[in-house]
Amino acid sequence: MDKVKICIHPMRKLDTLKNSYNPYMYNLVTTLKNDFNVVNINDERSGSLYFFLFRYFFKAKWIFFNWVENYRLKHLIYFIAFIPLAKLFGKKIVWTHHNVFSHNDRKYIGKVFIKLFNLFGDKIIIHTTESLIHLKRRINDKKIIYFFHPVMPVNDIVTNAEKDIDILIWGKYHERKGIDEFLNFAIKNKELQNKKIKVVSKFDKNEDFKRLTSKYFNTNISIENKYVTEEELIKYHIHSRYIFFIYSGPSVLNSGALAFSLPLHSEIIGPRRGAFKELGDKGLILNYEKFQEIADIVNRGNKDTYQLRIAFCENLSWLKFSHYLSDKIY
């Protein structure tokens, strides 16, 4: 049986995707080619929406869109023409609901695109049931394809290492993540003042890194400005009691960083929203709403959720995600 032909947007060269700080697209493209014929694989020209239409429109049956909330106002005319054309020629539109709205200043236009694809898309991939609230849909809706954010298999066998980091914060630095606000709270809070907090983050602006390191000099807070490999991240997790995801902004729904940390041997603390809330409700991670709750959690200690998370992650591989999509898309 021939594989269903699909086209994925955005697309870049695989080497570019592999070296990106967000590996989602690389994992998606390289995995889906097991079950689908990805007609635009490795063609970075199809990163352009306009080239994308004319080059691959007639070569694929299903067209995959990601991060539609980041489209600009100028793209609206494009989609007003594209959607009826796709329907006319029997093309199927599938899109993934990644965020509540855009992380940048295009909040309202992003909401317009989400409504547009929610209404006219043939299938909607969601990686957390929290998406249903924002899309106003039910889990048994025929359009919905629910698969929690896929995780990479990790052989985390070292469990008796010394936990010499109390709180680890990792991932690319953005002001919206609220790292500075939390560190400022930590140095003033009696319960956290003596805790070892480590921030491992890639700073786009060196001045942000210098500002934080000078501000928290001579404290139990250490900050590193670097891109860390998977091997390094695993080692950091092995030596950390808690992995802390702040994400203070209201736009966050899913997190690739959360998916990476989930199967590793450290307790996870995240905000009570999006995928973090879903996992918290399942008893797999710890949720917070105010920073004071972080201090309480770290000081009282909590039960080990590692085995529960491992069991949850068993069916969340990227390959199983690809197989699952092949059963849902025809």
Side-chain angles (χ1 to χ4, degrees):
M1 182 178 178
D2 292 337
K3 294 180 179 179
V4 175
K5 292 181 179 180
I6 67 171
C7 190
I8 301 176
H9 186 272
M11 178 62 71
R12 299 289 185 270
K13 286 188 176 297
L14 291 181
D15 286 344
T16 302
L17 293 176
K18 186 176 184 179
N19 295 320
S20 169
Y21 78 92
N22 182 351
Y24 184 91
M25 288 305 298
Y26 177 77
N27 292 329
L28 179 71
V29 173
T30 56
T31 304
L32 291 193
K33 67 188 182 81
N34 289 284
D35 294 286
F36 300 91
N37 180 357
V38 185
V39 297
N40 67 324
I41 191 168
N42 211 40
D43 188 351
E44 64 181 0
R45 294 173 300 173
S46 59
S48 163
L49 277 172
Y50 309 103
F51 180 88
F52 181 76
L53 172 61
F54 294 106
R55 176 71 173 173
Y56 292 107
F57 183 80
F58 292 104
K59 294 184 178 181
K61 180 177 180 180
W62 284 86
I63 303 174
F64 284 58
F65 290 97
N66 291 273
W67 292 287
V68 302
E69 68 275 10
N70 289 340
Y71 290 143
R72 299 172 182 270
L73 181 61
K74 66 180 183 179
H75 296 133
L76 189 57
I77 297 175
Y78 170 92
F79 280 107
I80 289 175
F82 171 82
I83 289 174
L85 193 64
K87 300 295 182 181
L88 178 64
F89 286 94
K91 306 301 176 181
K92 301 292 184 179
I93 297 173
V94 57
W95 67 286
T96 301
H97 187 220
H98 287 289
N99 298 301
V100 178
F101 46 79
S102 177
H103 293 324
N104 54 39
D105 294 334
R106 296 188 295 273
K107 174 180 176 179
Y108 296 105
I109 188 62
K111 286 185 175 182
V112 170
F113 277 106
I114 286 177
K115 288 182 179 180
L116 187 69
F117 278 82
N118 189 19
L119 182 62
F120 295 105
D122 295 282
K123 296 289 183 181
I124 306 169
I125 298 171
I126 62 172
H127 290 315
T128 171
T129 53
E130 291 296 298
S131 283
L132 299 170
I133 299 172
H134 302 284
L135 298 176
K136 295 181 173 55
R137 291 188 178 274
R138 298 180 181 276
I139 195 67
N140 59 355
D141 190 309
K142 290 182 179 180
K143 281 192 175 186
I144 294 295
I145 300 177
Y146 167 64
F147 194 99
F148 194 87
H149 196 300
V151 303
M152 297 297 291
V154 177
N155 186 20
D156 180 22
I157 59 175
V158 181
T159 59
N160 59 349
E162 181 185 358
K163 297 285 188 178
D164 51 8
I165 301 172
D166 291 299
I167 299 175
L168 174 68
I169 302 171
W170 73 276
K172 190 173 183 180
Y173 178 82
H174 290 288
E175 287 187 16
R176 62 178 166 78
K177 288 186 177 181
I179 293 176
D180 194 4
E181 289 85 346
F182 172 71
L183 296 182
N184 190 52
F185 169 83
I187 62 174
K188 298 176 181 178
N189 181 273
K190 292 182 179 180
E191 296 170 307
L192 292 177
Q193 282 176 346
N194 296 322
K195 301 301 181 183
K196 291 185 178 180
I197 301 174
K198 190 172 191 64
V199 178
V200 183
S201 190
K202 187 69 182 74
F203 290 75
D204 285 337
K205 299 177 181 178
N206 200 46
E207 53 265 34
D208 286 334
F209 172 66
K210 290 181 177 180
R211 175 175 54 82
L212 291 188
T213 50
S214 61
K215 185 176 181 179
Y216 302 108
F217 183 70
N218 278 341
T219 67
N220 284 317
I221 298 169
S222 62
I223 304 173
E224 292 187 40
N225 178 15
K226 68 174 184 178
Y227 174 84
V228 288
T229 65
E230 289 187 8
E231 292 77 12
E232 289 176 312
L233 272 176
I234 291 173
K235 289 180 180 178
Y236 280 125
H237 280 68
I238 289 172
H239 289 279
S240 301
R241 292 177 59 206
Y242 293 95
I243 310 300
F244 179 35
F245 294 101
I246 306 174
Y247 293 119
S248 58
S251 62
V252 173
L253 188 62
N254 296 302
S255 168
L258 170 63
F260 182 90
S261 293
L262 198 59
L264 294 172
H265 209 294
S266 299
E267 294 300 297
I268 298 172
I269 306 172
R272 189 160 181 77
R273 65 165 61 95
F276 296 96
K277 179 180 182 299
E278 179 179 354
L279 293 179
D281 289 342
K282 294 178 183 293
L284 301 177
I285 71 170
L286 304 162
N287 289 144
Y288 82 98
E289 292 184 358
K290 298 180 179 179
F291 285 154
Q292 179 57 46
E293 297 173 64
I294 309 301
D296 297 338
I297 289 171
V298 173
N299 277 280
R300 72 170 179 260
N302 290 274
K303 67 177 183 179
D304 188 350
T305 63
Y306 177 64
Q307 294 302 327
L308 291 174
R309 285 184 279 118
I310 287 296
F312 179 73
C313 291
E314 282 182 355
N315 294 313
L316 294 182
S317 72
W318 279 94
L319 189 58
K320 288 188 177 181
F321 176 49
S322 177
H323 295 339
Y324 186 74
L325 280 182
S326 69
D327 289 336
K328 296 292 183 179
I329 291 177
Y330 44 88

